[in-house]
Amino acid sequence: MGRRRGIMSDQFKEEIAKDLGFYDTVQKEGWGGIRARDAGNMVKRAIQMAEGQLTNENKDRS
């Protein structure tokens, strides 16, 4: 089986990692070097951003 393609682009993941303060770890050790907590916070932040976009889109339609 082929490797499953991720939903988030590398650029988006890097932006979130910078925002959350662990991008230096990603640069030094790769994505496998981050803590599980950081990965969870990354997903949480991505969901918050997506929900914010949906809320703004719904407001624009009203």
Side-chain angles (χ1 to χ4, degrees):
M1 281 196 153
R3 186 174 178 178
R4 200 169 89 177
R5 185 176 174 176
I7 294 174
M8 292 191 288
S9 71
D10 287 338
Q11 183 180 2
F12 185 59
K13 290 190 291 190
E14 290 170 2
E15 178 184 327
I16 294 173
K18 288 175 186 175
D19 186 42
L20 296 176
F22 59 86
Y23 183 66
D24 57 331
T25 302
V26 173
Q27 286 183 308
K28 292 176 187 173
E29 302 176 32
W31 290 107
I34 66 172
R35 299 177 304 174
R37 174 174 282 173
D38 290 334
N41 287 337
M42 233 176 95
V43 172
K44 183 177 178 181
R45 180 70 178 126
I47 291 169
Q48 289 171 340
M49 292 171 76
E51 287 175 341
Q53 284 183 334
L54 288 174
T55 301
N56 288 338
E57 287 176 13
N58 288 335
K59 285 181 183 178
D60 291 343
R61 292 181 183 169
S62 298

